[in-house]
Amino acid sequence: MIPIEERFPRPTVMGVLNVTPDSFSDGGVHLEPGTAAAAARRMIEGGAAIVDVGGESTRPGSDGVSVDEELRRVVPVLDRLGGEVPVSVDTSKAAVAQAALERGAILVNDVTALRGDPELAGVVAGGDAYLCLMHMQGEPRTMQVEPRYDDVAAEVASFLGERLAFAVAQGIPEERICLDPGIGFGKTVEQNLELVRRLDVLLALGRPVLVGFSRKSSLRRLTGSDDLLGASVAAAVAAFERGATILRVHDVRPHVDALTVAGAIA
Ligand code: HH2
């Protein structure tokens, strides 16, 4: 298996496909498997290198869903894609990751950084999958209540360094892993901005960094606008310029265009 940085060089666009009734911004849009699969194919046509399929919303205030419900949402979409589209599965559950890997998914995107399900590391290791480890303070239900850090960049880096060591100890080769500061997961607007501003602190861990700022509520707070496309593109380009490798986005084509230009300049 080639290292993740070779498979997904800078900048790589990851399209977001939420197969949920209640996601942040696209909840309910892709609930029908055929519609979801068509949207995934359009994302690849638009220049995404991979599509992140998720069956559980992690928006602030959300409760979890059962394994059965998550499988019921995700599996029919992957079956329709038939392994023809590079897919990442946004899950913290071993059973969901296993089902996705069996259907051709190549990356497991775990917002709990292997703290959610003790079986997940073994599934990733045994399934020869790439892995994204994300930082979150608290849990989705309560994480935005009162996020606190003394030094947000240092604390997020220290957490991700520890989770990276854990993953490697569980048999997942380091070269398959990328790290994510978890924009919006237990962070204020200013903490989110500081994480991007000081992305070098995360890059010092030596792994590619994934950033997902697309359509997050911090952008609405900054701009006062409900149309978050321009704000999302700006955040992705800023993250890329500070060293991010993978940008997780909802609106693929505009991000691909912007990052193509930013990459050409860089
Ligand atoms: N953000 C969301 C979900 N999964 N995974 C990673 N690695 N990084 C992120 O920033 C990230 C993520 C939340 O955004 P969205 O998918 O739009 O919403 P929801 O969780 O409500 O489905």
Side-chain angles (χ1 to χ4, degrees):
M1 227 180 140
I2 60 171
I4 191 167
E5 49 267 61
E6 282 176 37
R7 179 69 176 78
F8 299 112
R10 237 171 72 78
T12 278
V13 168
M14 168 186 271
V16 179
L17 188 73
N18 289 313
V19 194
T20 56
D22 56 346
S23 282
F24 237 32
S25 66
D26 60 346
V29 178
H30 304 119
L31 268 182
E32 199 280 307
T35 312
R41 289 181 197 279
R42 277 198 304 278
M43 288 181 191
I44 299 296
E45 282 161 24
I50 187 161
V51 177
D52 190 36
V53 179
E56 174 176 48
S57 175
T58 47
R59 75 181 195 291
S62 63
D63 287 315
V65 297
S66 69
V67 178
D68 286 347
E69 177 60 18
E70 208 177 315
L71 286 168
R72 202 183 60 72
R73 294 175 182 178
V74 169
V75 165
V77 179
L78 300 187
D79 282 341
R80 274 179 183 67
L81 290 172
E84 292 159 11
V85 164
V87 163
S88 147
V89 63
D90 187 347
T91 190
S92 307
K93 298 186 182 73
V96 176
Q98 180 71 46
L101 296 179
E102 282 165 7
R103 289 165 176 79
I106 57 173
L107 189 153
V108 175
N109 173 24
D110 178 15
V111 299
T112 74
L114 301 180
R115 295 175 300 162
D117 183 335
E119 309 291 320
L120 184 56
V123 168
V124 174
D128 285 343
Y130 295 115
L131 173 66
C132 179
L133 296 171
M134 196 196 79
H135 175 272
M136 168 167 24
Q137 186 179 87
E139 56 180 68
R141 214 167 38 78
T142 53
M143 65 191 176
Q144 289 305 102
V145 174
E146 210 176 331
R148 269 175 204 273
Y149 303 85
D150 289 326
D151 178 338
V152 68
E155 287 170 45
V156 167
S158 151
F159 170 87
L160 290 174
E162 185 264 313
R163 298 319 293 163
L164 176 63
F166 174 82
V168 171
Q170 297 292 306
I172 304 165
E174 178 163 337
E175 66 201 42
R176 284 193 212 149
I177 301 172
C178 68
L179 305 176
D180 181 344
I183 300 299
F185 286 84
K187 284 118 189 161
T188 62
V189 174
E190 179 47 41
Q191 287 158 357
N192 288 322
L193 298 177
E194 183 167 350
L195 281 166
V196 175
R197 196 180 296 128
R198 296 178 58 207
L199 210 63
D200 57 315
V201 179
L202 297 192
L203 292 170
L205 294 168
R207 301 308 309 143
V209 169
L210 184 155
V211 173
F213 223 134
S214 176
R215 296 191 191 171
K216 296 250 162 106
S217 63
S218 288
L219 300 175
R220 187 175 293 107
R221 298 233 180 85
L222 284 166
T223 61
S225 167
D226 282 333
D227 177 354
L228 298 179
L229 177 57
S232 299
V233 169
V237 169
F240 166 70
E241 291 194 327
R242 283 161 182 76
T245 291
I246 304 176
L247 290 312
R248 182 181 182 276
V249 313
H250 300 79
D251 305 284
V252 167
R253 181 90 66 171
H255 281 88
V256 168
D257 288 348
L259 290 162
T260 300
V261 174
I265 292 169

